Amino acid sequence: MRIFVVRSLDEPYNILRFSPFKNIEEAVAARFALQVLPDTAWQQRSRPLFVPDYAPAGLLLTLAYAVRISRLGRSVAADYAARYYDAATLCAAASAPELAATLQQCQLPTDAACGFDAAVNGGTWEALPADSLPLCLKLSGAVQTECLAATPARAQVDTALAFVSQYVKLCQGDVLLLPIAPLDVRATEGTHVEGFFGAKPILSYNIK
């Protein structure tokens, strides 16, 4: 299993925001790039996320939409992309900003700051919605906040999958991650994270 993140090179390291684009050429011209996270970054059983020592002030969370790859595919055309995924869920993708800043200062890749163990917490897999569905990520701790968004359009998912498949062969069980919006507060020890796919709760875990 691999986690493929479509991210913008022009965004700050802690904002892995997905933006729609019309075709692969436009995505490349807009400085979109592919980031691959290890399978150990994925966590999906309501297990707690422990704040690592290199994030002393807490973690930054980004609301993300995940799609599960269901078959092998390479250089997939966007028109046929829907054949290659079978389920979706909401995710909370964590990053360690202090570590990222240190790596940037040393001119090193910052993947370790968002690809550490259990950095991406996913909810239960659901059938892909036919229409746009509201997404909600809530934090309840010393500071209570929530992040609201909507599921990307199917065309956006298809184009993102086509973009990724130009570089790597997709395998069954891989995850395509489309970050949507960051929360504006740090998630610290004692925070409870909840995620909703429409009105249905599908994600719940604690940060320790």
Side-chain angles (χ1 to χ4, degrees):
M1 172 190 172
R2 295 158 298 172
I3 306 169
F4 299 115
V5 184
V6 179
R7 66 182 296 265
S8 170
L9 299 178
D10 297 322
E11 292 284 0
Y13 66 87
N14 63 330
I15 303 178
L16 306 178
R17 181 177 299 159
F18 174 74
S19 297
F21 39 84
K22 296 178 182 178
N23 52 52
I24 293 170
E25 291 75 18
E26 181 179 321
V28 174
R31 290 173 53 79
F32 277 88
L34 168 65
Q35 183 180 31
V36 184
L37 302 183
D39 59 353
T40 53
W42 181 262
Q43 180 162 259
Q44 187 183 25
R45 286 185 185 88
S46 299
R47 295 175 179 173
L49 169 60
F50 293 89
V51 178
D53 294 338
Y54 42 80
L59 299 166
L60 290 170
L61 297 184
T62 296
L63 172 67
Y65 184 66
V67 174
R68 184 176 65 192
I69 305 301
S70 57
R71 59 186 292 188
L72 290 171
R74 182 73 164 87
S75 299
V76 178
D79 290 343
Y80 302 101
R83 302 178 182 180
Y84 291 83
Y85 54 84
D86 64 354
T89 192
L90 175 148
C91 291
S95 63
E98 287 81 14
L99 175 59
T102 299
L103 293 170
Q104 284 183 321
Q105 290 174 0
C106 298
Q107 298 184 344
L108 296 172
T110 58
D111 290 19
C114 55
F116 52 89
D117 288 354
V120 181
N121 276 264
T124 55
W125 292 108
E126 301 285 336
L128 278 92
D131 301 312
S132 180
L133 197 66
L135 302 175
C136 179
L137 191 64
K138 293 185 178 180
L139 300 187
S140 57
V143 178
Q144 296 190 9
T145 187
E146 68 178 14
C147 182
L148 300 174
T151 55
R154 284 287 189 96
Q156 297 175 2
V157 176
D158 293 347
T159 305
L161 187 148
F163 175 67
V164 171
S165 71
Q166 305 306 306
Y167 299 97
V168 292
K169 180 172 68 175
L170 301 174
C171 298
Q172 185 176 17
D174 287 342
V175 174
L176 179 65
L177 194 66
L178 309 179
I180 299 173
L183 279 80
D184 57 1
V185 298
R186 295 285 187 107
T188 56
E189 293 182 18
T191 299
H192 180 62
V193 182
E194 293 179 289
F196 297 83
F197 205 61
K200 185 177 182 179
I202 62 169
L203 176 65
S204 177
Y205 68 97
N206 295 313
I207 294 181
K208 297 184 177 181

